[in-house]
Amino acid sequence: MKKFLQKLFGGINLTWPKLIAFAVIMGIYAALMALLVPDGNSFHDIAVTMEWWVLPAILIIVNCKKPLEAALKTFVFFLISQPLVYLIQVPFNGMGSVRLLSLLV
């Protein structure tokens, strides 16, 4: 367990493709949790509350070698994952699909 935690917190070579894949996976996961888990469950709030996103941000930061790299990778992570959460949820929301269609026309 100790080796796993050491690898997770500072032992991952976090390249840009890995970061983008991680952002896409987290965005899809958060959207699915918000769609599929019933209201009143803490997993439903993953797309709304901030505390669910602290751990992925920390994992990104501690696996970077320079502060500027950490800042850019964290920014890009949220730039990809957060809009993806919204875009996945829109087609399943009655008002969202109408609004999306009006934007496309």
Side-chain angles (χ1 to χ4, degrees):
M1 184 68 165
K2 186 177 178 182
K3 287 184 181 184
F4 173 73
L5 289 176
Q6 286 176 341
K7 173 94 171 148
L8 192 62
F9 289 97
I12 297 173
N13 181 17
L14 189 62
T15 61
W16 283 100
K18 288 180 185 177
L19 174 83
I20 292 169
F22 182 52
V24 169
I25 291 168
M26 284 298 296
I28 292 171
Y29 174 75
L32 291 177
M33 288 295 107
L35 288 171
L36 301 176
V37 175
D39 287 340
N41 191 321
S42 62
F43 284 103
H44 176 77
D45 296 337
I46 189 171
V48 181
T49 59
M50 182 176 47
E51 63 268 9
W52 283 97
W53 295 96
V54 172
L55 181 62
I58 289 173
L59 291 177
I60 292 168
I61 292 167
V62 299
N63 283 298
C64 292
K65 299 193 181 3
K66 298 177 183 176
L68 181 61
E69 176 190 7
L72 289 174
K73 285 185 177 179
T74 305
F75 178 74
V76 169
F77 171 78
F78 286 110
L79 190 67
I80 293 170
S81 64
Q82 297 306 302
L84 189 59
V85 171
Y86 174 74
L87 290 173
I88 292 172
Q89 290 181 14
V90 165
F92 300 102
N93 184 347
M95 285 299 290
S97 58
V98 172
R99 207 173 292 145
L100 181 63
L101 289 174
S102 67
L103 289 173
L104 295 175
V105 174

